[in-house]
Each structure stands twice: as C-alpha cells, then as structure tokens.
Amino acid sequence: AYQCWGADLPRHVVGEYAVVIHDKSRRRLLLTHDELGLTPLFYAELKDELLVASHIEDVVQLSGVRNLDEEYIADYLSEGRHLGKRTPYTHIHRLLPGQSVVWKDGLLTEQNTWTLTGIQPLRYRDLREYEEQLRFLTAEAINFSIQSKEKVWCELSGGLDSFTVLAFAARLN
C-alpha cells in the first residue's frame, strides 16, 4: 500500500491499524494509522531519535523521561478527556485521527491524511429513510461477516452495539 499510495495510504486502506514505515530509499519514517485513529500511536523526539509505540507506557519506558504536562492534566481533570495531541508527558505526543507524521533528517512534519470535509453529507427526505438506510447497511455488514449458515454466537458486553449485532445476526441466520 505504501509503495502504491505513499503517505496517502490511510485514504485507501480500510481497517483498524497503526504502522511505522521505514522508507530507506527516501531516508524517512512514516507514522500513520487508520483514519479514525482507533489504533493509537504515540511518539517522542529525543535528540537524533524518534521513539514510537502504540502504548504510551512503552515510550515512557524507552525514553526514561517522566516530565508531566501539568496543563494536559488540568485540562483532563476539568473536561474528563483531552482531544489534542498532548499527553500526560511533556515530550510524548499522540498521533491524531486523520494525521500522519513524517520524520526525515531529524525533522518532524505532520500531514493531514483525511478529513470529514471530503465526505458528502447524506440527504434523505425524512427520518424514516435515514432509519431504513441504517437498517439496510447494518444488515448488509453483518450478513457479509457471517460466513456460513452455521450457528452464530455473539459475546455480549451489555452495550447497544453487541445487542444490535446479535439481533440482526439472529434474523439473518
């Protein structure tokens, strides 16, 4: 995918992933992940090296630096979340959804690889049509996932999505 699309690969690859690609010929690293950022990537620039991991604890351990970002912590305590690239550590950043990072010759550049503005809004006549389309797409996705007419099982977490999948699968099978 990288050889075909380069840094635009998140626009073409569907799934939940995080990847670091070493492009030896261009002497650069590409950090990217799925467009929604479902699989996190954390990175820290330290002198002549870039540390990358999908778990922040690994970057903390590798870097040996534990300087806390008090502003991040204050934001988190007041809002209950933080949506930016900051983390509890001053030197570690989170790769945001829809972004990639290129590290070349010791310079880090961020690239926007996806945005919701490129998606055309759905326009139906009334709420009933939205509901019908949601039911159709949900059934289609679940039907595609069912490989045979054998028994289907679903692990229930108690959430709305697992019960929805179970109900549709039971009807389809």
Side-chain angles (χ1 to χ4, degrees):
Y2 176 76
Q3 288 176 344
C4 184
W5 298 300
D8 281 342
L9 77 92
R11 295 178 189 209
H12 304 278
V13 177
V14 177
E16 185 177 333
Y17 62 90
V19 64
V20 177
I21 298 171
H22 177 225
D23 186 336
K24 191 174 181 178
S25 64
R26 293 183 182 168
R27 298 181 43 199
R28 72 179 191 173
L29 287 176
L30 171 68
L31 286 61
T32 194
H33 55 172
D34 58 88
E35 293 179 322
L36 296 177
L38 297 174
T39 302
L41 265 180
F42 298 94
Y43 61 94
E45 268 187 291
L46 299 175
K47 295 185 183 178
D48 293 332
E49 64 182 346
L50 184 69
L51 302 176
V52 182
S54 57
H55 298 286
I56 195 169
E57 304 85 27
D58 296 333
V59 179
V60 172
Q61 184 178 4
L62 286 170
S63 70
V65 179
R66 288 172 169 65
N67 297 336
L68 294 178
D69 183 340
E70 292 181 13
E71 189 173 330
Y72 169 91
I73 294 169
D75 287 348
Y76 191 85
L77 291 174
S78 67
E79 296 289 326
R81 63 185 174 155
H82 191 281
L83 301 176
K85 70 178 190 176
R86 297 171 81 161
T87 68
Y89 302 94
T90 56
H91 68 294
I92 301 174
H93 302 285
R94 171 193 299 273
L95 185 62
L96 294 176
Q99 287 192 333
S100 295
V101 167
V102 173
W103 193 61
K104 180 178 171 89
D105 299 325
L107 297 173
L108 196 73
T109 54
E110 295 176 354
Q111 298 179 341
N112 289 326
T113 54
W114 183 72
T115 177
L116 286 173
T117 59
I119 297 176
Q120 296 298 316
L122 296 173
R123 302 266 189 242
Y124 295 117
R125 288 177 283 183
D126 57 36
L127 291 176
R128 190 178 91 287
E129 285 190 30
Y130 285 100
E131 182 181 342
E132 288 173 11
Q133 184 66 2
L134 176 62
R135 287 178 189 274
F136 170 76
L137 291 173
T138 303
E140 185 177 54
I142 293 168
N143 192 38
F144 180 79
S145 298
I146 297 173
Q147 298 298 316
S148 69
K149 293 296 179 188
E150 298 296 321
K151 290 183 180 181
V152 174
W153 68 274
C154 178
E155 184 176 343
L156 297 176
S157 65
L160 180 62
D161 52 347
S162 58
F163 279 106
T164 301
V165 169
L166 178 62
F168 272 88
R171 270 190 242 138
L172 293 169
N173 201 352

